[in-house]
Structure formats: structure tokens, C-alpha cells
Amino acid sequence: TVSTTHALTAPDTGLAFSGGDLFFVDDGDIVSLDATGLTENWRTALPAGYGFTKGVVVAGGNVFVSTGLSVVVYTAAGGSLVVDTGLSAAQATSQQSLFVHGTDVVLWTGSLSDEQPYVVLDGATGDVSTSFAAAGYGVLGSDGTNVFVAAQSAPGVVGFDIARGYEPLGGSLSGYK
């Protein structure tokens, strides 16, 4: 049985859930809803000309929104702007460009020509804490220690222990069903 609904004008991207709240982009605004009653906690406009959104994640008490221009960080509690990172996430791909890694966020810039196309953003501040190179394509996930990326060549997964540097983990997914 449906207990309550909330109308969306023009949802741009998926949902993120944290601390009993839902976060999403709707018609150019980042929105926070109470997940129980679907009442709006707050709504804040994205920067002008943001283009499109690629993903929304929550880490370190902040909401990270990947837009066509930059990754923008807002407080989860009230929607205040923390920082516009100026870092552009991958645009022309179906791969997720943001992923939670412990209390931080991993960003894939999508530029295979960059020396360090993967950037780790501090969850509390949105500042860059480190970056790393990988022959990968997008971020698949994290177990809190390792970040897993899709391998560039053949179906496969490559894992990186960010604290200790590059360490290949995992391997081919060929034959995976």
C-alpha cells in the first residue's frame, strides 16, 4: 500500500539516502525529503548553467552533486553550499562518476589523458584529499578500503587501496553470469 507520495517536476538523476532523508535533483534544484512522510526538508538551486546531473551521493554530512560543470557540495542538514569544487566529472559515459568511499567520495573525471583521473574528495569539506591514476573507466564501488573501477581493456575490475597506493585486486569478469 502506498502511504504517501511526493510530486517531482523534472527529476534529473537518482536518489541518495542518508540519516532518514532522501536527496535528489528536481528541475534544477537539489532537494531533501524526509523519507518517512516525504515532506520537503529543503530545496536549493544548483549553480546557473549546470547543464545536467550525473549523480548524487551523501558522505561526511554533505550532499555531493555531479553536474555538467562541476561537483557541487551542500550540507545535508540544511542545503547550504559548502564548496563548488570546480572539478568536472565524466560526462560522456554511462558509468557512475561519483561513489562513496568510507566518509569520502571518489570522483572519476572521465579524462583518460589526465595523469590522475581519479580524485578523492574529503566528505566533510569537499576538498581534494588525494588523486590516483588507473587504467579504468568509471567507479564501480568501494568496500571502505578499496575503490573498484571498471578495467579499460576487456571486462574486468581493478581495485585500489587508496591509503597504500596502487594495488591491483580482482581480475577478469569474462564468463561471469
Side-chain angles (χ1 to χ4, degrees):
T1 334
V2 175
S3 60
T4 187
T5 61
H6 182 84
L8 301 177
T9 308
D12 288 350
T13 192
L15 296 170
F17 179 79
S18 179
D21 295 325
L22 295 170
F23 302 92
F24 59 95
V25 175
D26 182 38
D27 199 25
D29 296 335
I30 178 72
V31 180
S32 169
L33 294 181
D34 173 87
T36 306
L38 296 183
T39 55
E40 202 166 289
N41 295 323
W42 53 260
R43 177 181 286 263
T44 302
L46 289 171
Y50 72 93
F52 61 91
T53 56
K54 181 70 178 166
V56 176
V57 297
V58 180
N62 290 318
V63 181
F64 291 72
V65 182
S66 175
T67 75
L69 298 176
S70 176
V71 175
V72 188
V73 185
Y74 299 90
T75 61
S80 301
L81 180 67
V82 175
V83 67
D84 184 336
T85 66
L87 296 168
S88 180
Q91 295 178 16
T93 176
S94 62
Q95 293 292 333
Q96 176 72 13
S97 58
L98 285 176
F99 215 96
V100 175
H101 174 69
T103 58
D104 297 331
V105 172
V106 177
L107 165 70
W108 178 52
T109 66
S111 176
L112 300 177
S113 62
D114 284 353
E115 283 187 34
Q116 304 286 319
Y118 291 89
V119 176
V120 180
L121 302 172
D122 181 281
T125 65
D127 295 333
V128 173
S129 60
T130 190
S131 61
F132 62 97
Y137 188 73
V139 179
L140 298 175
S142 165
D143 65 3
T145 300
N146 301 295
V147 173
F148 300 97
V149 302
Q152 274 182 357
S153 58
V157 176
V158 180
F160 296 87
D161 180 334
I162 296 197
R164 297 186 309 188
Y166 171 76
E167 286 187 19
L169 304 166
S172 173
L173 291 179
S174 59
Y176 176 77
K177 295 183 191 229

